[in-house]
Amino acid sequence: GVCPACSECVSSNGHSHHGGALAYLSWLGILGQNANDKTPTPKTPIQKMLAIKEKELKENVAKEYKRRFKLILESKLNGGNAVKAINTWAVAVLRYTGGILEWNKEELQNMDRKTRKIMTMNGALQPRASVATLYLARDEGGRGMKLVEEVLRTEEHGLSEYIKNEEKGYNKLLKSLTMLLRMCTGIL
């Protein structure tokens, strides 16, 4: 066959001779954008479902993040343990979507803003407290909370590096994506 990513030959088993995993994922339609055609076009059933359900998925993920966040703040955990619980349990919901759902910078900043507002309403953060101190590491004198935007960007970078380095990385990516869809929508 011919690989649409660069218009070169692809072997009979579908693996690209020239571009590695990224070209193969593009050829399969998993990456969503063809190098010759600059318009993102959903091709696989998973992509089609994501294109339709992306807004709903983001809303569900944000709702679950807020629910977990509030549960932690309503618990009897002290400040340090509450932040650790937030970083491991609440932020994990968002971490799973890194590299799969397309979060823009404004959405992530709004989520961080709402996070601080919820903390203030629950008495976990003073209204005039330094935002920088909240996100500064504990060993540097801060509270050690993870910035949502930073966590997602790190996850996206890690996923892209994994795909670049692993020829079979797309199989695990598809399994993770399927698991995310099942978790968020209950459809599959």
Side-chain angles (χ1 to χ4, degrees):
V2 175
C3 175
C6 66
S7 301
E8 289 187 22
C9 290
V10 175
S11 67
S12 61
N13 67 0
H15 287 76
S16 171
H17 294 291
H18 48 80
L22 286 178
Y24 183 55
L25 290 175
S26 177
W27 186 68
L28 287 175
I30 293 169
L31 294 181
Q33 189 163 347
N34 182 330
N36 297 332
D37 178 16
K38 295 297 181 190
T39 59
T41 308
K43 296 175 184 167
T44 65
I46 292 172
Q47 278 185 315
K48 289 178 184 176
M49 183 171 292
L50 277 179
I52 295 168
K53 298 281 187 181
E54 185 170 15
K55 185 176 180 182
E56 184 180 331
L57 287 172
K58 283 182 182 180
E59 289 171 3
N60 289 344
V61 168
K63 239 186 257 183
E64 179 63 15
Y65 169 72
K66 287 178 198 171
R67 185 187 75 79
R68 289 182 180 197
F69 194 85
K70 286 178 182 179
L71 282 173
I72 293 167
L73 291 179
E74 291 168 358
S75 71
K76 303 283 185 194
L77 292 173
N78 66 23
N81 289 334
V83 169
K84 285 180 186 176
I86 289 165
N87 288 342
T88 56
W89 192 53
V91 175
V93 174
L94 297 168
R95 185 182 302 264
Y96 291 132
T97 67
I100 296 171
L101 294 178
E102 292 184 33
W103 295 92
N104 64 37
K105 189 172 186 162
E106 190 176 307
E107 289 171 329
L108 298 175
Q109 287 175 345
N110 284 338
M111 198 171 301
D112 273 325
R113 209 171 289 119
K114 288 177 185 175
T115 298
R116 292 190 300 272
K117 184 178 179 180
I118 292 169
M119 288 181 77
T120 303
M121 291 188 320
N122 285 292
L125 183 67
Q126 290 292 324
R128 294 184 183 178
S130 170
V131 174
T133 305
L134 178 64
Y135 297 112
L136 193 62
R138 288 186 69 80
D139 59 351
E140 295 175 11
R143 304 268 305 262
M145 201 157 132
K146 302 285 184 195
L147 198 66
V148 171
E149 183 178 1
E150 185 177 307
V151 167
L152 282 172
R153 297 303 174 230
T154 302
E155 205 60 33
E156 289 170 355
H157 177 71
L159 184 62
S160 69
E161 287 297 313
Y162 177 77
I163 290 172
K164 285 178 188 174
N165 295 331
E166 291 289 328
E167 207 46 49
K168 297 190 180 198
Y170 63 89
N171 283 332
K172 291 182 182 181
L173 174 65
L174 288 175
K175 287 179 186 176
S176 298
L177 184 58
T178 304
M179 184 176 72
L180 173 69
L181 288 171
R182 286 181 180 157
M183 182 179 78
C184 292
T185 63
I187 290 175
L188 292 175

